[in-house]
Amino acid sequence: MKFKNANEIKISISSLIWLTLFFVIPTIIVVLISFRNSDPSGGIGVGWSIDGFADVFNPSFGMILWRTVRLSLITTVICLSLAMPVSIYMAKAEEKIQNWLLLLIAIPFWTNFLIRVYAWKIVLHPEGLVKRLFLTLGLVSENASLLYNEGAVLLVLVYTYLPFAILPLYTAIEKFDFRLIEAARDLGSGQIRSFIKVFLPGISQGIISAIMVVFIPALGSYVIPDMVGGPDGEMLGNKIAQRVFVDRNLPKGSGLSTLLILAVILPGLIRVVYKKIKPISATPLNRKINSYLTKSKSKS
Amino acid sequence: MRKDRFTFVVTILVLIFFYLPIVVLVVNSFNASRFGSVWGGFSLKWYEKLFSDENIWDSIKNTLIVAGVSTSVSMVLGTLSGYALFKFKSGIQKVHNTLITLPLIIPDILMGMSLLLFFIALKIELSLFTVILGHITFCVSYVAVTVLARLQDFDFSVVEAAQDLGASPSLILRKIYIPLLSPGLISGGMLALTLSLDDFIITFFTAGPGSSTLPLQIYSMIKFGTPPVINALSTIFLLITFLIALIYQRINTKQ
C-alpha cells in the first residue's frame, strides 16, 4: 500500500495511528491472552495453554451461550417486526409529522442508558405499576416475579434496540417509490406477494443495517441482563465481566471475548465470501450509518 | 386504508412503550413514599438528599473532565479522518474506513475488555487518563462518519465559483467552508459529548480507583443504594437531555 501523496499521509496518519494503537492492537491482545496461562494473583501468567477456552466446553456455559444467541435473535425479530409498520407510517406521513416522530423516538434514547434500564426495574418492581395491574386483571399470581427472568431481559433488549431498527428502516423506506407497489398490484399481484416480492427487496439495505445494529450489540449485552436478568437471565457479557472482575481470570475472560469477536465478524465474513470477495462499497454503508446517527444518537 | 390504520396504531403503541418507563420514573421522583406503587404525597426530599451527596459531585466533576477532553480530541481526529475518507480513494482509505466503521458496530463490552487488557499488558495504571483514552477511541468514529456525511452533501461548485470570482483561500475558508461545514462539526461534537457523558461499559472496564464517573456512580447506586435518590437524579438527567435534544434539533433543522 503506497500513499499517493504526502498530503494524504498528513491528514489520515493521526486517526490511523490512534485506531491501530487503541483498537486493533488491544483486540489482538485479547485473542493472544486467551491462549495464555492464568496467574493465580489475577494477572497474566507465563506460558501458553488453551485453558482460556475451558468455559466454552462447560455444559452450564453452553446454556448461557444458547440463551445469548436465542435472546439476540428474538430481539432482532421483534424489533424488525415492530419497526416495519412504524417506519412505513413515518415514511408516508407529512414532513412535519415525520420530524416530530423522529424527535419523539430519539428523545428517550438521549437519556442515560442505565437510567432507562433502571426505569424498567421500577415498572416491573413487585410493588410496581404493571404487577398491580396484572394482579387485578388476574394475569399473574401474587408470588410471580416480573423481574429477574429471561422475559424481563427480552423486554428491555427490545426497548433498547427498537429505535436502532426504526431509523435505518425509515431511511430506506423513505426513499422507496411506493408507485412500484401500485404497479405490482395493477399487474395482478396480491397484497402479500407485492410486499414480499417488491417492497422487501426494495428496502433490503435498510433491513440489513437494522439487523446489524440490533443483533450484534445484543450479543454483547451486559448491563441489561445484569440489572433485570438475575441468575436465570445471564448472558455472555455477564460471564465475561464475572471472569474478569470476580474470578480475576483474565485468560478465561479473554477466551469468552474471543468467542464474541468471532461471532461479531463471522456474519461480515460470510457476506464478503458470499459476494465473491467483491468488497462491500464503503460509502453506502457509511451513509446508512450516518443517516441514522445524525438523526438520532446511538450506542448504548 | 386498513393498512394505514394498522401502521398508525402500532406507531402510537410503540411511542407509549417508549415513554411509559420514563413517566413512571419522573412521577416517582416526587413521591414521598419509598415504594413506587403507593403515593405518599408530593416531596422534594429525595432531591435534597441527592444534592448533599459528595460522591455525586466528585463523579460529576470527573464526567465533565472526561467528556470535555475526549470530545475536543476526537473532534480534531474525527474531522481529519472524515476529510481523508472523503478526499482520498486509495487502498489505505479502505482500511481506514473499516477501522472507523468497526467501533460503531462491535459491542461495547469488547472494546472495554480489549482496552483493559491493553492497559494491563503495558502495565499502565488505570485512572481517569485511561478512561479518556477509551472515550476518544469510540468518539472518533462517530465524529468521522458525521463529518463525512456533511462533506458528501457539500456542494463544491460553490468553492469553484468563489475561486473564479477571485476569492482568496482564506476568504473561502472563512466565508464558505466554516459556515457550511460547522453544523456537521457541531453535531459530530455533540454526538461525541453525549456518548461520552452516557458511557458506562467502556468506563467500567477502564476506570481506576477514584476515577468514578456519573454513570459508574449511578450504577453503584442502582445496585447498592437508595432507589428514590436515583429517581431524582434521573429526572434532572432527563431535563438536561431534553434541553440538549431540543438544541440539537434546532441546529439540525436550521440548515
Side-chain angles (χ1 to χ4, degrees):
Chain A
M1 272 176 272
K2 256 191 298 174
F3 283 112
K4 284 261 158 51
N5 55 44
N7 225 354
E8 184 176 357
I9 303 178
K10 260 193 267 167
I11 296 168
S12 27
I13 199 78
S14 52
S15 63
L16 276 174
I17 290 182
W18 189 282
L19 289 165
T20 309
L21 196 59
F22 295 108
F23 180 64
V24 179
I25 294 177
T27 308
I28 295 170
I29 288 180
V30 169
V31 178
L32 285 178
I33 289 181
S34 58
F35 290 102
R36 291 304 288 251
N37 275 320
S38 59
D39 174 3
S41 67
I44 303 152
V46 263
W48 304 86
S49 81
I50 52 159
D51 275 1
F53 294 95
D55 279 339
V56 180
F57 305 103
N58 183 332
S60 76
F61 175 74
M63 240 177 67
I64 291 179
L65 193 66
W66 165 232
R67 182 186 296 131
T68 306
V69 174
R70 184 162 37 95
L71 285 179
S72 305
L73 276 175
I74 301 174
T75 303
T76 312
V77 171
I78 296 178
C79 280
L80 257 78
S81 10
L82 285 174
M84 194 64 85
V86 174
S87 317
I88 293 176
Y89 179 77
M90 276 168 69
K92 284 185 167 176
E94 291 167 48
E95 206 188 314
K96 218 178 148 189
I97 296 175
Q98 280 186 13
N99 286 334
W100 270 106
L101 283 174
L102 272 175
L103 189 65
L104 279 176
I105 288 170
I107 282 178
F109 299 89
W110 284 72
T111 332
N112 185 280
F113 168 61
L114 292 168
I115 289 175
R116 268 179 279 139
V117 180
Y118 169 72
W120 275 108
K121 243 182 123 154
I122 303 255
V123 174
L124 299 175
H125 191 269
E127 290 175 61
L129 196 75
V130 175
K131 177 74 184 285
R132 283 166 68 96
L133 186 74
F134 280 14
L135 263 179
T136 19
L137 293 174
L139 286 171
V140 291
S141 69
E142 187 69 52
N143 308 322
S145 173
L146 300 173
L147 269 176
Y148 309 122
N149 52 45
E150 272 187 36
V153 177
L154 187 64
L155 178 77
V156 183
L157 279 174
V158 170
Y159 182 78
T160 307
Y161 293 112
L162 184 52
F164 297 105
I166 292 178
L167 294 167
L169 274 188
Y170 159 75
T171 320
I173 295 174
E174 205 200 5
K175 289 186 201 122
F176 181 78
D177 188 351
F178 278 97
R179 285 174 306 180
L180 288 174
I181 294 213
E182 282 165 38
R185 299 296 305 273
D186 286 349
L187 293 170
S189 156
Q191 203 168 10
I192 296 168
R193 197 177 139 92
S194 50
F195 183 79
I196 295 173
K197 291 272 178 182
V198 180
F199 184 65
L200 290 185
I203 58 162
S204 64
Q205 272 302 321
I207 296 176
I208 291 171
S209 328
I211 291 175
M212 261 185 22
V213 295
V214 174
F215 183 69
I216 293 176
L219 277 180
S221 302
Y222 164 62
V223 174
I224 296 169
D226 182 52
M227 296 224 283
V228 301
D232 294 335
E234 274 194 324
M235 290 171 73
L236 180 57
N238 303 72
K239 216 64 199 166
I240 294 177
Q242 188 201 324
R243 284 293 181 228
V244 174
F245 295 112
V246 182
D247 310 339
R248 302 199 61 80
N249 190 326
L250 295 178
K252 280 196 170 161
S254 307
L256 297 179
S257 306
T258 305
L259 202 65
L260 188 55
I261 295 175
L262 283 178
V264 168
I265 59 173
L266 213 59
L269 278 180
I270 291 172
R271 231 185 122 199
V272 173
V273 175
Y274 184 74
K275 289 202 164 186
K276 288 191 180 151
I277 315 167
K278 190 177 84 187
I280 303 160
S281 162
T283 30
L285 180 66
N286 261 331
R287 275 178 169 264
K288 275 275 136 52
I289 288 173
N290 258 298
S291 48
Y292 75 80
L293 283 181
T294 43
K295 268 169 196 147
S296 157
K297 85 163 207 162
S298 139
K299 200 108 180 182
S300 46
Chain B
M1 284 291 98
R2 242 189 67 240
K3 204 178 163 192
D4 281 5
R5 204 185 305 148
F6 169 72
T7 57
F8 175 71
V9 171
V10 176
T11 308
I12 296 297
L13 289 178
V14 162
L15 284 177
I16 294 173
F17 175 56
F18 279 171
Y19 283 88
L20 170 84
I22 293 177
V23 171
V24 170
L25 195 71
V26 173
V27 172
N28 266 332
S29 75
F30 296 105
N31 186 351
S33 140
R34 254 188 88 89
F35 294 107
S37 57
V38 194
W39 182 255
F42 182 85
S43 158
L44 289 175
K45 71 173 174 189
W46 306 119
Y47 287 87
E48 280 165 34
K49 269 207 160 143
L50 173 71
F51 285 113
S52 55
D53 189 337
E54 268 187 31
N55 285 335
I56 291 187
W57 288 108
D58 277 348
S59 64
I60 289 176
K61 203 183 82 194
N62 283 341
T63 308
L64 291 178
I65 295 173
V66 171
V69 177
S70 48
T71 303
S72 337
V73 178
S74 62
M75 270 178 86
V76 175
L77 288 174
T79 305
L80 285 171
S81 157
Y83 182 71
L85 287 173
F86 173 76
K87 184 92 179 170
F88 307 105
K89 296 280 170 264
S90 62
I92 202 89
Q93 295 308 329
K94 267 191 192 139
V95 178
H96 192 182
N97 184 64
T98 314
L99 288 185
I100 286 287
T101 323
L102 272 177
L104 301 174
I105 303 169
I106 65 154
D108 285 359
I109 195 165
L110 273 185
M111 194 179 254
M113 181 72 186
S114 58
L115 283 165
L116 171 69
L117 292 178
F118 175 70
F119 294 136
I120 290 178
L122 291 183
K123 301 202 164 48
I124 298 173
E125 207 160 306
L126 298 180
S127 63
L128 213 52
F129 178 65
T130 49
V131 175
I132 291 173
L133 291 180
H135 279 223
I136 295 172
T137 310
F138 69 78
C139 286
V140 167
S141 297
Y142 286 93
V143 177
V145 289
T146 316
V147 170
L148 179 62
R150 289 295 150 144
L151 284 169
Q152 280 164 341
D153 294 336
F154 187 70
D155 183 5
F156 278 90
S157 59
V158 182
V159 178
E160 282 161 31
Q163 278 166 343
D164 289 347
L165 294 169
S168 68
S170 78
L171 190 68
I172 292 176
L173 183 73
R174 269 187 294 127
K175 293 283 179 190
I176 297 176
Y177 279 119
I178 291 177
L180 286 180
L181 291 179
S182 56
L185 276 178
I186 294 172
S187 55
M190 299 253 312
L191 196 59
L193 184 73
T194 34
L195 289 172
S196 170
L197 290 175
D198 196 42
D199 178 73
F200 167 70
I201 295 179
I202 293 166
T203 318
F204 185 60
F205 275 85
T206 52
S211 50
S212 178
T213 62
L214 194 55
L216 292 192
Q217 191 67 32
I218 295 173
Y219 179 77
S220 69
M221 280 168 80
I222 293 173
K223 282 236 128 170
F224 318 105
T226 37
V229 182
I230 312 164
N231 292 348
L233 181 69
S234 313
T235 305
I236 295 174
F237 238 87
L238 277 170
L239 259 175
I240 298 171
T241 18
F242 280 128
L243 279 176
I244 296 180
L246 277 178
I247 298 169
Y248 185 81
Q249 185 74 1
R250 291 203 80 162
I251 295 172
N252 257 355
T253 44
K254 245 183 198 163
Q255 31 77 43

